[in-house]
Amino acid sequence: MTNLYIMDNKTFISTLAARYGSDNNEAQRLVEYLASILRDRCGNLATVAVPAFGNFSAVKTDEHIASDPSSGKATLYPPAITLEFTPGAMLKKHIRNER
């Protein structure tokens, strides 16, 4: 059984600020910078590799028609780009050693 801890944005920012030794505004700017880099690079279907951390890869889904399970109606879904994260070996090792 996997334990799932859902952290909202406010909690994430304050936790990051505390670990980084800064205020919440600085931590928020760091998260926004990361999001901006990922949006720019992965929006062009590139992969962003962060050594020792992992890879962020863009996956494009083409436009498609699917039926809505609740209503049974056919719905046209537009193309979309989603982001996948694959953790790196060092991150996996760090997480395993922390438990």
Side-chain angles (χ1 to χ4, degrees):
M1 183 178 196
T2 303
N3 292 332
L4 178 63
Y5 179 73
I6 299 174
M7 187 181 292
D8 65 11
N9 188 55
K10 185 177 179 179
T11 304
F12 176 72
I13 295 299
S14 61
T15 303
L16 179 62
R19 295 261 176 111
Y20 185 63
S22 69
D23 62 14
N24 286 2
N25 290 333
E26 179 66 19
Q28 179 68 43
R29 278 193 295 277
L30 290 172
V31 171
E32 288 171 1
Y33 294 151
L34 175 62
S36 175
I37 291 167
L38 293 175
R39 184 175 38 255
D40 292 345
R41 301 290 189 248
C42 294
N44 294 324
L45 301 179
T47 296
V48 175
V50 181
F53 186 71
N55 295 332
F56 295 90
S57 303
V59 177
K60 184 176 181 183
T61 305
D62 292 329
E63 178 179 74
H64 62 283
I65 297 174
S67 60
D68 182 351
S70 61
S71 68
K73 294 173 87 176
T75 305
L76 176 64
Y77 292 94
I81 297 174
T82 57
L83 198 60
E84 287 185 355
F85 176 71
T86 306
M90 293 290 285
L91 178 60
K92 287 180 185 178
K93 182 179 176 183
H94 180 73
I95 290 170
R96 279 190 219 116
N97 289 340
E98 292 294 323
R99 289 183 181 197

